[in-house]
Amino acid sequence: MKYSIFSKSIIFFSLITALVSCKQTIKSEADSHEDYPEDGRPSVTELIKEMDANTDHKLSKSEVHGPLADDFSKIDTNDDGFLSQEELENAPKPERGKSRKVDNSNNVQTDFEVTVNVNPSLFIKERMLQEIKQEERTLADGTVALCYIITTASQPHEHKMGPWCPTHINDSKDKGGIWFKDDKVYDVDGHFIANLKDFYSDEEWALFREDGSIKVTETQDECEAAARPDVDEKYHNYCVQCLPDYYKEKVSTYVIPVKPMYLESPNSLGGNGIGIAFNGVNFDAAAPTHAILAAHTLAPLDDAGGHVNPHSGYHYHAVTGATKEVAQTDEHAPMLGYALDGFGIYAHKDSNGKAITDLDDCNGHYDTIRGYHYHAGDAGSNKILGCLHGISGSLTVEN
Ligand SMILES: [Zn+2]
Ligand SMILES: [Zn+2]
């Protein structure tokens, strides 16, 4: 009982005075609602009732504990040695000048010593549909932030797109793209398609006809029927490819905070992009291999790690070193682009060919040159990033 009174008094007190110190981590307004729900908050009357051992309807110094005791003389404005209801109600209000609106998911923002702003000059100019501009935007979680607005056709500059599906089981690897399983990358050549039964230990695979030709989606309608999550029965056991030409009118607009804001708890990746390469192509979340394989289809990536879907056009699920890289002055891995939260994305391996080993679940870590940043997962991992550790901007794709 004593413990519960004590803890309630602390809760109450932290509401009326700014005793919660905010040095590195800053709690948000929304956050504090989470901690002190309207209903569970003791009123001054309740507080007095609970702490008032001698029931004289006021609190003496011997009846209070913790912060109320520490600041007793400040609250006791008439210096009578008791805290009255009126004095408690008039106690100084909390100063929340440092707090920033973060989001309503009880997330705490952390300021690192080094935070690197997005550098718009790294993007390949020829691939931007408009000049990159700065605008204040309200992000999905309600945060208002200065953002870069980047408009692209999500088409690469440095490499060609495709091929994806070979057309005959005798085709060599230059006729097809790549596929992945258990962190390994495989060339999708004719032999690979012919051997899918063994590869997946599943007798139902049959992507080729008796004459050795491979069943490949040939038109926009076919690709759209085969690429949806509930694959049209007709296209079970097909190699699915949508061509960039079908969707070349699409416009991708990225909104990315100029200064990334790191959150203690990462956000899971949405369905709509996780970042942008310097060529304006979308780094996407994991390919939905479960749905793809359940229908005995393949949706190969090209050698650059990209393929096309009806929703977002050309996008990457793997980083294979085909896009613009920005070398670092130290041995650190080169930079590849930005995540939607504004933190940089770097290659999987450093300049000595070593993979980075101290990454968090999002594939991120911190250093004093780049601040917090990500390293793309290995090409076979189907995981360019695991999650976003900053407040996310957005990607919208319009026709
Ligand atoms: Zn995809
Ligand atoms: Zn690093």
Side-chain angles (χ1 to χ4, degrees), residues 86-290:
E86 202 189 348
E87 283 168 340
L88 282 166
E89 275 165 356
N90 291 332
K93 292 280 181 296
E95 284 169 46
R96 290 198 168 267
K98 280 184 90 180
S99 83
R100 253 174 276 168
K101 199 148 192 111
V102 176
D103 69 14
N104 50 16
S105 65
N106 204 20
N107 215 337
V108 178
Q109 191 180 326
T110 302
D111 284 332
F112 285 114
E113 208 173 303
V114 174
T115 300
V116 180
N117 285 6
V118 172
N119 178 357
S121 72
L122 295 177
F123 290 96
I124 300 171
K125 259 208 171 80
E126 291 87 333
R127 277 295 172 251
M128 304 296 120
L129 296 177
Q130 290 167 19
E131 203 159 326
I132 297 172
K133 57 185 181 204
Q134 278 192 8
E135 266 176 26
E136 205 157 75
R137 288 293 179 95
T138 303
L139 306 178
D141 70 346
T143 308
V144 177
L146 192 62
C147 294
Y148 283 116
I149 316 297
I150 304 169
T151 313
T152 85
S154 203
Q155 305 247 327
H157 184 73
E158 317 88 313
H159 64 83
K160 65 185 184 80
M161 294 175 277
W164 294 276
C165 296
T167 55
H168 194 278
I169 55 168
N170 291 334
D171 278 352
S172 56
K173 65 177 187 185
D174 56 312
K175 298 278 172 54
I178 57 172
W179 191 239
F180 45 82
K181 189 179 103 176
D182 302 335
D183 289 335
K184 274 189 75 179
V185 175
Y186 298 86
D187 282 312
V188 179
D189 54 12
H191 179 77
F192 180 85
I193 300 275
N195 275 298
L196 282 168
K197 276 185 194 179
D198 289 342
F199 188 73
Y200 282 117
S201 308
D202 176 352
E203 288 297 311
E204 284 178 48
W205 282 95
L207 250 62
F208 60 99
R209 303 179 186 91
E210 253 176 50
D211 63 358
S213 65
I214 294 169
K215 292 185 266 176
V216 181
T217 54
E218 309 250 344
T219 63
Q220 184 169 349
D221 283 349
E222 288 188 8
C223 105
E224 287 177 3
R228 41 176 231 232
D230 55 325
V231 179
D232 187 327
E233 285 275 352
K234 245 169 56 191
Y235 300 104
H236 283 210
N237 260 310
Y238 257 76
C239 189
V240 182
Q241 64 178 21
C242 297
L243 301 182
D245 259 11
Y246 304 158
Y247 309 108
K248 61 172 187 277
E249 307 299 328
K250 279 190 190 292
V251 174
S252 301
T253 304
Y254 300 81
V255 175
I256 298 179
V258 170
K259 184 183 184 195
M261 295 163 279
Y262 180 92
L263 300 174
E264 292 270 288
S265 309
N267 295 303
S268 57
L269 301 172
N272 222 2
I274 52 174
I276 179 173
F278 292 131
N279 59 19
V281 175
N282 163 13
F283 283 130
D284 212 345
T289 46
H290 185 74

Side-chain angles (χ1 to χ4, degrees), residues 284 287-288 301 307 309 315 317:
D284 212 345
L301 309 175
H307 67 182
N309 76 20
H315 59 280
H317 289 296

Side-chain angles (χ1 to χ4, degrees), residues 332 365 367 373 375:
H332 192 271
H365 69 172
D367 72 38
H373 61 278
H375 286 269

